[in-house]
Structure formats: structure tokens, C-alpha cells
Amino acid sequence: MNKEQLERAIKDYSWMIREIKRQRMMLEEDIGSKLVVASGVEATLPRAKGAINDPVGKEVIRRDKKSSWLAKLEKKVLFIQGRLSAIEEPREIAVLECMLDGMTISAISKHMGLSRKHIYKIKETIVDRMLQFTQSSQ
């Protein structure tokens, strides 16, 4: 993951956690759901070549895509969580926690009583340390 991707993942962390919870809940509910294939006249009609005209087949494809997307979100979240120990300074920890909770730079600035420019510098330091942690652990 490069610097821009890591910054984006930190910024998106809060909604990704909520989305992972929601998607897992949906997938767990879907496991017990019943799907019905076409019956009657619809089952005897010819189907177009190369296209899935079966609602069950389409649902399987949709769930597979959802599962793949969920795995990508989990990978990003785990990447960040695996590097939290790289941040040890109290101010950096506070800024990182605020960012992971979904706060904006302006909100963090007001919350901590520091300038936005100072918060940006702290954010840059956090990202750099997380990237260094990545390189040193490989």
C-alpha cells in the first residue's frame, strides 16, 4: 500500500468497519434464505446464450461479488489494525483514534485545540510511521 492509499484507508476506516458489520449481517441472514428457481412455463422457455436467466444464479453471482468486496474491505482494515502499534506518541495516538472514528481534520483541530496545519503534520507523521513499520516488518 502506498502513502495515498494508506491515507485514504485511514480516512475511510470508520465507514469500512460499519460496512463490514452490515455486510456480514446480511450474508449471515442470506445463508438461511430460500431461493426459488423458475417453475411452470418459464422453466421451459429457451434462454439466451451466455446470459444467466435464472434468479438463483444471478443471486449467487451477486453474493459472490459482495463476498469479494467484503474481503477487500477487511484486508484494508486489517492492514491498518496491524500497524497501530507503530504509533506510540500520545498526540499521534489521539489524532489517529479521532481519524479512525471518522472525525475530520477540522473537528480534530477543534477537539485538540491545535491548528489544522499541526494536525496535518501529525497525520503525515502517522502515515510515514505506519509505512516504515510496513517496510521494516517485511
Side-chain angles (χ1 to χ4, degrees):
M1 192 176 279
N2 65 31
K3 188 172 184 171
E4 292 80 24
Q5 290 171 328
L6 181 57
E7 286 178 358
R8 181 46 128 191
I10 290 171
K11 185 176 181 181
D12 293 345
Y13 183 89
S14 181
W15 74 259
M16 286 191 298
I17 288 290
R18 288 191 307 271
E19 186 63 12
I20 288 169
K21 287 179 190 175
R22 187 182 78 82
Q23 291 292 337
R24 283 184 179 173
M25 217 169 61
M26 297 289 287
L27 286 172
E28 287 174 11
E29 288 176 8
D30 286 349
I31 290 171
S33 67
K34 296 178 183 174
L35 298 173
V36 179
V37 295
S39 60
V41 175
E42 294 87 19
T44 62
L45 296 175
R47 293 184 177 89
K49 290 185 179 181
I52 297 175
N53 203 17
D54 176 20
V56 175
K58 286 182 179 182
E59 182 61 15
V60 168
I61 292 169
R62 185 186 74 83
R63 289 182 188 182
D64 185 51
K65 286 180 182 178
K66 182 188 284 195
S67 181
S68 297
W69 185 62
L70 179 59
K72 288 178 185 177
L73 290 179
E74 289 172 341
K75 184 178 177 182
K76 288 180 182 180
V77 167
L78 289 171
F79 185 88
I80 293 169
Q81 291 172 343
R83 282 139 188 88
L84 293 176
S85 62
I87 311 305
E88 297 174 347
E89 297 295 321
R91 275 190 179 181
E92 292 172 4
I93 293 170
V95 169
L96 179 59
E97 289 296 326
C98 289
M99 291 172 66
L100 295 179
D101 289 340
M103 292 176 69
T104 63
I105 296 295
S106 296
I108 298 168
S109 173
K110 288 177 186 175
H111 169 69
M112 295 186 68
L114 301 171
S115 70
R116 286 175 42 129
K117 187 175 182 178
H118 194 89
I119 298 299
Y120 274 113
K121 286 180 183 178
I122 293 172
K123 181 191 81 158
E124 291 295 318
T125 303
I126 290 168
V127 171
D128 290 341
R129 287 200 178 151
M130 288 179 131
L131 286 173
Q132 288 172 357
F133 182 83
T134 302
Q135 293 167 355
S136 67
S137 66
Q138 291 177 347

